[in-house]
Amino acid sequence: MRPISRTRQTKICTISSILVLTFNFGGCNVSAESASQLSATDSQTAADINGIPDNEPNVTEDLRLLVQNIIDNRVLPDAFTTKAQAAVLPMALQQMRAAMQRLRSLKQLQLLTRAVDGEDRHYRYRLKFEGGVMLLAMSYNKGGKIDRLSITETN
């Protein structure tokens, strides 16, 4: 197991085909499976990197709408794969909604990375809210459905 630094409090919500919903507070340990997901959305690394050109503004706009729908409790299950729907709704989205509402209104979305793995597309964004920053990683499957969504609140 990999310990989380006591000096940094990180909250992670991960939604994927297999739901892993983990909140890590300073001093807690993370299992090996969760640690690999933590490294994929490490807040210190991603918070410091510059954005990349956004050549798919429609994806960014879809994400903006998804974030607003999470905040407003209007997420449509059809946006997710069948497996992700079973794992996600409604518990994990409630946790994400609470975290986003604490940070108040969304001010900016910035694309950090984009990758293609076969027919899946993977994105990482920085979400700047009035009261803080979140990092978001999501994957779309070949049918355009969200197969993975993770949100990390950075302090």
Side-chain angles (χ1 to χ4, degrees):
M1 286 200 253
R2 180 177 143 206
I4 299 293
S5 168
R6 287 184 182 270
T7 61
R8 181 179 94 212
Q9 291 189 349
T10 303
K11 298 175 186 174
I12 299 174
C13 302
T14 299
I15 301 174
S16 64
S17 296
I18 300 171
L19 176 67
V20 179
L21 174 61
T22 310
F23 290 92
N24 298 303
F25 299 95
C28 296
N29 290 328
V30 179
S31 69
E33 178 182 68
S34 297
S36 66
Q37 292 175 0
L38 178 61
S39 65
T41 58
D42 185 76
S43 60
Q44 288 181 330
T45 302
D48 296 333
I49 63 174
N50 293 324
I52 63 172
D54 190 351
N55 296 326
E56 295 179 284
N58 58 323
V59 173
T60 302
E61 189 55 37
D62 288 348
L63 176 60
R64 181 182 305 281
L65 181 61
L66 176 65
V67 168
Q68 192 58 53
N69 285 342
I70 290 172
I71 293 169
D72 295 341
N73 196 22
R74 295 182 295 156
V75 174
L76 299 175
D78 292 346
F80 298 90
T81 61
T82 304
K83 288 181 183 179
Q85 285 178 27
V88 169
L89 306 173
M91 179 87 144
L93 289 177
Q94 290 175 356
Q95 299 293 334
M96 289 182 180
R97 180 173 29 267
M100 289 177 179
Q101 286 175 337
R102 265 195 320 277
L103 298 178
R104 299 179 297 281
S105 62
L106 179 64
K107 299 296 182 187
Q108 181 185 20
L109 286 145
Q110 184 178 27
L111 180 62
L112 301 177
T113 63
R114 180 189 188 280
V116 177
D117 180 19
E119 295 179 333
D120 294 339
R121 296 172 293 146
H122 309 284
Y123 302 89
R124 287 186 10 175
Y125 283 86
R126 181 182 300 123
L127 283 64
K128 293 182 180 180
F129 289 84
E130 184 179 327
V133 175
M134 288 184 146
L135 301 173
L136 181 141
M138 71 178 196
S139 297
Y140 281 113
N141 71 359
K142 65 181 177 182
K145 303 271 185 173
I146 298 170
D147 192 44
R148 179 177 174 270
L149 176 67
S150 70
I151 298 176
T152 305
E153 184 176 341
T154 63
N155 294 333

